[in-house]
Amino acid sequence: GLGFWKPGSGIIHQIVLENYAFPGGLMIGTDSHTPNAGGLGMVAIGVGGADAVDVMAGLPWELKAPRYIGVHLTGELNGWTSPKDVILKLAGILTVKGGTGFIVEYFGSGVNSISCTGMGTICNMGAEIGATTSLFPYNHRMAAYLKSTRRSDIASEADKFASLLQADEGAKYDEVIEIDLSTLEPHINGPFTPDLAHPISEFAAAVKKNNWPSKVSAGLIGSCTNSSYEDMSRSANLAQQA
């Protein structure tokens, strides 16, 4: 019942999204970015090694009942705005501690303009606001991803129970945050902390005001929150333009 992924296979939470995650599941993992699987509608929570060992030994896993933040997405992503800008915007609103003790649930018509891997990226970075986990409702974007990763049978089953894999009508949240994707700009967060959010139109002024270095000498594209073809293709496009 164990799977072994040798060195070089890729970062584990992307392996999980491509091979193991499924809508409506519950999973724990010894990686703070385990919630990446929320991009497939899974409640996936990062835990310590001791908790994981307990579960593997058959002991129950316990968690203080979380509260809930609902993020209502309207409009559609456009231009160079990417799914990552959703969580960068949210980090600026909630700060690095604002999600502590909460599960963040995204809902609204704007969800459908975000790809499955984009949803994974957003859920992945929920760790940066301290959230217990984040998740999206099951939709056709997830079904398409399951089919493209040779899991059509799971997509078919999820389609049958789609109404159970979404928030209840009129669901109550402890806090609701509104984000209009149509007006959302590309963001640059930092330096020093991931909740120092700057819409791109305001970044130059912030650099000047804070006397930050104005010349970009190098860029690093990592595989943690950039581990999908969608992210990599954007970076490649920029490099080609240069």
Side-chain angles (χ1 to χ4, degrees):
L2 297 176
F4 175 72
W5 295 81
K6 63 183 180 180
S9 298
I11 199 161
I12 187 60
H13 46 259
Q14 189 65 22
I15 289 175
V16 167
L17 191 72
E18 294 177 3
N19 296 272
Y20 298 108
F22 61 92
L26 171 65
M27 177 178 70
I28 62 170
T30 54
D31 178 341
S32 63
H33 289 123
T34 297
N36 194 68
L40 265 175
M42 193 173 200
V43 177
I45 301 173
V47 300
D51 287 323
V53 169
D54 285 348
V55 172
M56 292 176 74
L59 300 175
W61 176 66
E62 298 180 351
L63 174 72
K64 180 181 178 181
R67 292 181 289 167
Y68 303 93
I69 294 174
V71 180
H72 185 214
L73 302 179
T74 56
E76 294 184 359
L77 290 175
N78 60 86
W80 278 95
T81 303
S82 72
K84 191 178 285 91
D85 295 308
V86 174
I87 186 63
L88 295 181
K89 168 79 171 179
L90 189 62
I93 295 171
L94 290 175
T95 78
V96 291
K97 297 181 179 179
T100 303
F102 288 90
I103 288 178
V104 179
E105 183 172 30
Y106 296 85
F107 67 101
S109 59
V111 168
N112 291 324
S113 74
I114 303 174
S115 68
C116 180
T117 52
M119 296 181 206
T121 291
I122 293 170
C123 293
N124 179 315
M125 290 187 64
E128 313 311 325
I129 58 173
T132 300
T133 193
S134 306
L135 76 159
F136 278 82
Y138 177 74
N139 65 2
H140 70 282
R141 306 300 293 266
M142 295 183 190
Y145 184 78
L146 286 167
K147 292 172 183 176
S148 68
T149 51
R150 300 179 299 281
R151 292 176 287 173
S152 296
D153 54 335
I154 295 178
S156 297
E157 286 300 306
D159 285 339
K160 295 177 185 177
F161 302 99
S163 63
L164 301 178
L165 301 172
Q166 302 168 359
D168 295 337
E169 188 70 31
K172 302 297 183 183
Y173 299 95
D174 295 282
E175 180 180 355
V176 175
I177 295 171
E178 302 278 348
I179 297 179
D180 180 3
L181 300 181
S182 296
T183 60
L184 181 65
E185 292 184 52
H187 274 58
I188 296 177
N189 283 29
F192 314 122
T193 178
D195 57 5
L196 189 56
H198 307 282
I200 196 70
S201 63
E202 300 174 11
F203 186 62
V207 169
K208 186 175 181 179
K209 176 183 177 181
N210 294 284
N211 198 30
W212 294 331
S214 59
K215 183 178 180 181
V216 178
S217 59
L220 172 65
I221 308 300
S223 64
C224 182
T225 55
N226 301 302
S227 46
S228 70
Y229 286 117
E230 183 178 8
D231 284 320
M232 291 299 187
S233 64
R234 283 174 174 266
S235 302
N237 187 286
L238 285 173
Q240 288 169 348
Q241 289 185 47

